[in-house]
Amino acid sequence: MVASIATSAFFPASSGKIAANSSIETPKTVNFSPNTTTPSQSTRAKSGIKAVSKVDGYAATAEPDVVAPPPTSSPAPRTFYNQLPDLSFWLAAITTLILAAEKHFTLPDWRQKRPDMLADAFGFGRIVQDGLVFKQNFLIRSYEIGADRTASIETLMNHLQESALNHARSAGLLGDGFGCTPEMSKKNLIWVVSKMQVLVDHYPTWGDIIEVDTWIGSHGKNGMRRDWHIRDYNSGQTILRATSLWVLMNKLTRRLAKIPDEVRDQISPYFVERMAIVDEDNRKLPKLEELSANNAEKHLRKGLTPRWGDLDVNQHVNNVKYIGWILESAPMAILEKHELAGMTLEYRRECGRDSVVQSLTTVYSDCADSARQDSVSIHCEHLLSLESGANIVKGRTAWRPKQAQNQGIAGTISSAHS
């Protein structure tokens, strides 16, 4: 539209009536050659010997040796436009620019609505607070949400692990191993988690940006503590808090080891003496015999085996996979009507590629009336063990009723599945 107006302003079209009524005499061309037949006319005459034209539905063949007269056509009227030089190239370029400008200023742009949509969502984060805290943002993807349209607990735990590794990378503490300092790599040492406590205030949804803060601190003589605090990027509201304890293991002997002085000297400048969760859950988790002796509701799932994708670079099952195995034995009624509000896990031993695992869940309800259990809190105790008998993980989980909209979604999915 803008281009057509701009063009008509510089090159006005001539009226059809004026072109029809006005006769402009063109100058005659004087031919000084003695031959009255031009070469172009002779060539056209010879090439038209076998030419066939169709006139009124009948085919007529041109006679040979007949010179076809040049076609008579009325000369074009002389206007301001055809007296100008050929500016078609520049005119097309100007038109393209005008159309592009019109499209740019008239079409809506979603980036102006959410300028922070991809802010640091794919970066490695940055170190803040005098080099002691690492901050990284994550975008919740569509494949990271579950049936109730919120991010799963495994998704959030993976973000915790990713931010921890990027923290070590940004601080220059990442050696040849996975999450190992240079001195740890020399001594074949790796970090393994021994305890994890997580409190979830609410779960983010698809498209949300979460902001993860993580830092490390000392724990006794042979341990290290790592804490996380996850907030909503836009509102600043707390989403999750977590604290964990880590110990060293020899990668070759698979035995726990003390922290060498060389390793402690590398990591101690980054220690922060504050915790994301002040009140730690130090209650003793029950043994298998204690779980089997009580009369609470029990659920057992056997025959769980790790896949190749469940192993990390240290050749043992990733600790996030254990959470999925624990939830395998949780009753479907709890998963549909409740959401995980908190958990405490104690890791006893590692699990390898050829292990066969069983998951036991014992359910305790705060209400004895089964008809009201959908609206009350529930806590469970879990035991993940090898089928040969050795314990892998012991845990305790707390569950709260889902919000009304989540309950409706879960019920719809459950009825469709049945």
Side-chain angles (χ1 to χ4, degrees), residues 364-395:
Y364 302 90
S365 175
D366 295 342
C367 181
D369 186 5
S370 59
R372 295 181 54 196
Q373 288 184 1
D374 293 345
S375 59
V376 298
S377 300
I378 295 175
H379 73 275
C380 303
E381 290 178 343
H382 308 269
L383 182 61
L384 197 65
S385 62
L386 299 175
E387 290 192 350
S388 60
N391 294 336
I392 301 175
V393 179
K394 294 195 299 183

Side-chain angles (χ1 to χ4, degrees), residues 313-362:
V313 297
N314 294 321
Q315 298 300 312
H316 61 222
V317 175
N318 189 286
N319 64 84
V320 178
K321 180 61 180 179
Y322 295 147
I323 300 174
W325 279 344
I326 287 174
L327 299 181
E328 283 288 334
S329 59
M332 185 59 64
I334 296 180
L335 300 178
E336 290 179 346
K337 302 297 182 179
H338 294 74
E339 65 180 8
L340 183 65
M343 65 178 179
T344 301
L345 303 176
E346 291 183 1
Y347 295 85
R348 294 298 184 178
R349 60 174 295 166
E350 63 177 338
C351 177
R353 180 178 59 182
D354 300 327
S355 302
V356 181
V357 182
Q358 63 180 8
S359 176
L360 175 64
T361 296
T362 305

